[in-house]
Amino acid sequence: MFVFAHISDTHIGQDRGDGGSRARERTERVLRVLDGLPGELDAVILTGDITDRGTPEEYEEAAKLLDGSRHTPLHCPGNHDARGPYRAALLGGDPADASPVDQLHVLPGATFAMCDSSVPGRGEGYLGDATLAWLDDALAGARKDRPAFVCFHHPPLPLHGQYVDPIRQFGEDRLAAVVGRHPHVAALLCGHSHTPAVTTFAGLPLVAAPGVVSSLRMPWEGEEDGPLDYALPPMLTYHILDDEGRLTSHFRAVP
Ligand SMILES: [Fe+2]
Ligand SMILES: [Fe+2]
């Protein structure tokens, strides 16, 4: 059994007239819950929109928060992130390197391919050819008896929210072809939706994590005040992959 936590969309630096304290405090609350768990987790992942505007100052704050946590999250960028400052602050890399931030993490119980679905300067997502070729190679080189999770920021299909669907991940048939070649892929995990959502993609479970900074209302919930709800508490997800290869996900509000 492999148990891990999934958080998304911390948007560190988001300033709603509070200088960014609200986003920081919500992220701290979530990390405190994870830090205070009596048991160990096998991993923690963070699926993008780590910062709000992608500035070096926001990444400095994000790095401080994440480094201060008991579980260092595995992460990937979202549309609000910026590759150069992300690389510099979170990975100790070259701030001038604007290539996709793709990272493979081989843990004792699972492999995580953290893919960069961001398109610089755009809200929507796309896995570029270089990222898909990297993913194909990474999955081909991974042990077949160890489950693999393919993670990115943008959901590769509509989730039926008017706000996020137009800026979802496009070009998804190419992703489906890659994961279809690797039967040890257990699930696909993403963020961006700011609402927990479970569906299937290419015959695999696809789970979108809720947002830490805000929640997205569905069209039938009313959107008079805009689609984003800032009053609902931040949420996190626990995923369990059991020995039969079945994924179960639990969603937890953090008051
Ligand atoms: Fe977001
Ligand atoms: Fe996003």
Side-chain angles (χ1 to χ4, degrees):
M1 197 162 81
F2 190 88
V3 182
F4 61 108
H6 180 182
I7 60 177
S8 200
D9 295 82
T10 47
H11 286 255
I12 295 298
Q14 183 183 81
D15 186 356
R16 292 183 43 79
D18 52 41
S21 61
R22 180 183 171 280
R24 181 175 56 245
E25 188 269 331
R26 286 170 74 102
T27 303
E28 281 171 342
R29 265 153 70 190
V30 169
L31 294 176
R32 256 201 316 269
V33 166
L34 297 179
D35 286 350
L37 292 173
E40 281 302 317
L41 292 169
D42 293 306
V44 175
I45 67 167
L46 167 52
T47 47
D49 282 358
I50 297 174
T51 66
D52 199 52
R53 285 161 300 171
T55 63
E57 295 73 29
E58 289 181 349
Y59 283 110
E60 217 170 283
E61 193 176 344
K64 234 182 271 168
L65 285 169
L66 300 180
D67 290 348
S69 169
R70 180 175 132 210
H71 315 88
T72 305
L74 316 178
H75 48 78
C76 60
N79 52 301
H80 281 259
D81 289 300
R83 289 171 178 171
Y86 184 115
R87 228 180 213 109
L90 300 183
L91 300 170
D94 179 2
D97 181 357
S99 62
V101 182
D102 301 315
Q103 296 183 93
L104 185 72
H105 300 277
V106 180
L107 307 188
T111 299
F112 286 84
M114 309 299 296
C115 308
D116 187 345
S117 64
S118 72
V119 181
R122 310 279 304 178
E124 72 270 25
Y126 186 81
L127 295 174
D129 291 344
T131 292
L132 280 177
W134 168 85
L135 176 63
D136 207 8
D137 283 355
L139 293 172
R143 267 175 48 179
K144 306 293 179 283
D145 59 350
R146 183 183 286 155
F149 294 97
V150 175
C151 311
F152 35 72
H153 181 65
H154 298 78
L157 72 183
L159 296 178
H160 309 293
Q162 293 168 21
Y163 184 64
V164 168
D165 286 354
I167 53 168
R168 68 176 180 88
Q169 181 189 145
F170 293 95
E172 67 273 18
D173 290 351
R174 299 149 53 253
L175 169 64
V178 170
V179 297
R181 284 198 280 277
H182 304 285
H184 59 300
V185 175
L188 300 114
L189 306 170
C190 67
H192 190 52
S193 60
H194 291 226
T195 184
V198 179
T199 181
T200 56
F201 177 81
L204 291 163
L206 182 137
V207 184
V212 168
V213 81
S214 61
S215 300
L216 186 76
R217 295 190 191 98
M218 292 293 102
W220 53 92
E221 292 180 297
E223 295 181 334
E224 307 80 46
D225 306 327
L228 287 169
D229 187 318
Y230 293 93
L232 288 170
M235 292 182 75
L236 62 87
T237 307
Y238 296 114
H239 299 293
I240 303 101
L241 189 74
D242 66 23
D243 295 339
E244 277 83 55
R246 184 184 303 115
L247 186 78
T248 305
S249 303
H250 295 259
F251 301 97
R252 181 76 68 243
V254 178

